[in-house]
Amino acid sequence: MAAADVATRLERTPGLNDEITPRTLREEGVTEANTPGERSLVGSLTLDTPVRLRSGRSNRFKVALPAFEKLGPTDATADNSETFNLANDVIQSPNTQDVVVYLDGEYYGAPDAVDYAADSIDVTDSGTASDVYVWYMTADPATVSIYKKIPNAETSASQRLWTNQLARLHKQDQQEQPEYFQFGEGWKPYLSSDMKLNVYVDAPFEVRFEDPDGHGNTPTNALFHIPVEQAQDTVPGLINIIKASMGR
Amino acid sequence: MSDGSIEVFEGSTSDLVETRTNVADQMTPILAVSPERGNMIRILNMVARGDQVGVPVYADLRDSNDDPLPVSTTLQWEYTPSNSESRFKVSRQVSNLAFYQNTSFAKQANTDYVDEAKHVLTQHEFEGGDTVRFLQITDIEELYLSAEGSAQIDWSNSRIEVDPSAIKGPYTRGR
């Protein structure tokens, strides 16, 4: 099938502006924790219908991936203020809530106090011996990237769509200087149905989109909102055209 | 507060508006808008501020601890036709509150930021989901702003304002 036919067919397929969010990855895809210090897959989404990554300045791509730590448990006295030390440098983020805390499965929100110099937080537990789950913004150097991948291809075809440094993005005022995709002509921003969108992180801290103990705690301060146009139907022939384009 | 406006300021509301509290982790109303008997209003999807399509909505949304609602909270506008119980989504989803969390209420209308404050009104998804020029609400219909997130809103700590230039009316419904 000629590329032009596929392009016409794609153009005639209605699409909606949407975003792939951490929640999309969690609920419709697969998320896992990274191995600190190694480049690892943290999120993967297999697409039902074709997707185009929206590019340009008006399509902001907000990025903030907090470090996760499980601390505690809190002591045997209820309602007292307790201080917990964080392993990484906690920063004041211009883009999202700096620190989010859960006590066991309970959303606590922002801690009572954050000591940015000493990298510690104060939390008051109304119960006792609760695990403390913390997601906090850090400026430690880390790389994050987005790939598209064709599953089960004879040759594993995969192409990097975007990569950037978290250390800078976390301090950059993304309200004023937004991050956005820039693609030239061609099929690069397109993913067909059955293709995978993969997110890789190489960070010294732990990145995860869900707590490890099944409480359903999630990093409410994480931003990874990929602007996309999602087609309402599949487009025959698209996967082959995209696959052919990926080698170039 | 003056009629024809959609605003809530730490608990006190304009005539068109009733506050609600969302149910945690469910997309439920935090605000209900309905004109007075015999009236209607129009909410324009394009205003003379910024460049992009949408209604500027300025907000500072907080929970009962006076903490901001979680950044991952999502917002959408929903519409209930007369004699119906169901709410239909009539805007693009606002997928995070990062903008409202990091830009003070007073600064949100600045030319540099106002496009980020815009909520884009659309047809319902099964009508195609295209953007509309305006949304018309009569007294027998209801419009909601709904939120989904792990915390609940406390209006005595929160405020919201729809840019007044986006609201036309109230007019007499005339039918």
Side-chain angles (χ1 to χ4, degrees):
Chain A
M1 211 174 300
D5 293 345
V6 175
T8 314
R9 201 172 292 169
L10 182 64
E11 210 170 287
R12 289 186 185 152
T13 309
L16 279 181
N17 279 4
D18 201 358
E19 282 178 350
I20 293 174
T21 67
R23 183 173 167 172
T24 323
L25 293 174
R26 208 159 43 226
E27 291 179 359
E28 291 163 37
V30 184
T31 58
E32 48 192 294
N34 67 325
T35 310
E38 277 174 40
R39 177 177 173 278
S40 20
L41 185 71
V42 293
S44 177
L45 179 70
T46 306
L47 299 164
D48 291 332
T49 57
V51 151
R52 175 179 68 87
L53 268 54
R54 288 185 279 140
S55 55
R57 207 185 148 104
S58 58
N59 296 304
R60 292 154 197 268
F61 170 38
K62 294 195 168 163
V63 186
L65 289 177
F68 170 80
E69 260 180 79
K70 181 181 172 181
L71 302 166
T74 55
D75 64 22
T77 315
D79 294 319
N80 61 331
S81 178
E82 294 173 57
T83 302
F84 294 95
N85 292 314
L86 303 169
N88 295 284
D89 184 23
V90 58
I91 60 159
Q92 280 179 290
S93 162
N95 305 308
T96 185
Q97 210 171 339
D98 304 339
V99 187
V100 170
V101 176
Y102 288 82
L103 296 176
D104 286 337
E106 191 82 20
Y107 177 73
Y108 187 84
D112 305 342
V114 182
D115 187 331
Y116 294 95
D119 298 326
S120 68
I121 56 167
D122 292 352
V123 173
T124 308
D125 184 11
S126 58
T128 56
S130 311
D131 288 327
V132 183
Y133 300 87
V134 190
W135 273 280
Y136 61 98
M137 298 310 298
T138 171
D140 285 356
T143 311
V144 57
S145 39
I146 302 175
Y147 282 75
K148 65 176 178 183
K149 185 170 187 286
I150 296 189
N152 309 322
E154 314 83 81
T155 54
S156 91
S158 142
Q159 187 179 27
R160 191 172 75 195
L161 301 175
W162 174 87
T163 185
N164 215 326
Q165 303 301 324
L166 283 180
R168 179 176 43 75
L169 283 177
H170 283 174
K171 287 190 160 173
Q172 176 175 327
D173 184 345
Q174 294 180 32
Q175 245 74 253
E176 220 151 292
Q177 295 299 329
E179 179 67 18
Y180 52 91
F181 297 117
Q182 299 171 74
F183 298 112
E185 289 282 296
W187 291 99
K188 199 174 175 189
Y190 291 89
L191 283 80
S192 76
S193 41
D194 304 331
M195 283 181 73
K196 274 180 194 229
L197 183 114
N198 288 338
V199 182
Y200 289 90
V201 166
D202 186 348
F205 49 86
E206 193 170 352
V207 174
R208 48 162 67 239
F209 292 107
E210 216 160 359
D211 75 85
D213 303 327
H215 290 300
N217 301 343
T218 57
T220 61
N221 54 348
L223 293 171
F224 205 75
H225 291 63
I226 307 169
V228 295
E229 184 180 6
Q230 177 110 38
Q232 302 291 73
D233 202 355
T234 54
V235 177
L238 182 64
I239 193 162
N240 293 325
I241 301 286
I242 292 177
K243 188 176 163 191
S245 77
M246 277 164 66
R248 284 177 231 147
Chain B
M1 277 188 257
S2 65
D3 58 345
S5 69
I6 299 177
E7 60 177 315
V8 182
F9 184 86
E10 291 176 358
S12 55
T13 67
S14 60
D15 301 343
L16 295 177
V17 175
E18 253 178 59
T19 56
R20 305 280 178 94
T21 305
N22 59 310
V23 180
D25 298 318
Q26 284 180 38
M27 185 56 87
T28 39
I30 56 172
L31 204 68
V33 180
S34 193
E36 278 175 49
R37 192 90 212 149
N39 284 343
M40 63 170 214
I41 57 162
R42 279 179 177 177
I43 303 178
L44 306 184
N45 211 8
M46 193 72 187
V47 296
R49 276 174 186 274
D51 310 315
Q52 293 177 26
V53 68
V55 192
V57 179
Y58 315 119
D60 181 11
L61 307 173
R62 291 172 181 271
D63 65 14
S64 53
N65 297 326
D66 208 18
D67 283 336
L69 290 188
V71 175
S72 61
T73 305
T74 55
L75 300 176
Q76 65 187 33
W77 292 87
E78 294 171 339
Y79 166 84
T80 298
S82 56
N83 303 321
S84 170
E85 298 289 307
S86 309
R87 302 188 306 268
F88 300 100
K89 176 175 169 232
V90 289
S91 76
R92 279 192 202 141
Q93 202 167 64
V94 178
S95 62
N96 65 78
L97 301 184
F99 170 71
Y100 293 119
Q101 174 118 183
N102 294 288
T103 314
S104 73
F105 192 75
K107 277 191 188 162
Q108 289 174 12
N110 280 13
T111 325
D112 293 347
Y113 296 122
V114 70
D115 281 332
E116 277 236 57
K118 285 180 181 173
H119 296 192
V120 180
L121 301 175
T122 62
Q123 299 169 326
H124 188 262
E125 275 164 351
F126 57 64
E127 292 176 318
D130 289 334
T131 56
V132 292
R133 282 177 52 227
F134 61 84
L135 191 69
Q136 184 168 306
I137 300 294
T138 68
D139 57 335
I140 53 176
E141 297 153 346
E142 206 127 17
L143 181 69
Y144 298 100
L145 178 63
S146 293
E148 179 176 7
S150 42
Q152 287 177 293
I153 193 161
D154 182 342
W155 279 109
S156 57
N157 297 325
S158 305
R159 48 176 98 167
I160 194 166
E161 181 188 343
V162 177
D163 194 293
S165 67
I167 301 168
K168 295 292 167 201
Y171 306 117
T172 310
R173 173 156 56 92
R175 62 184 158 89

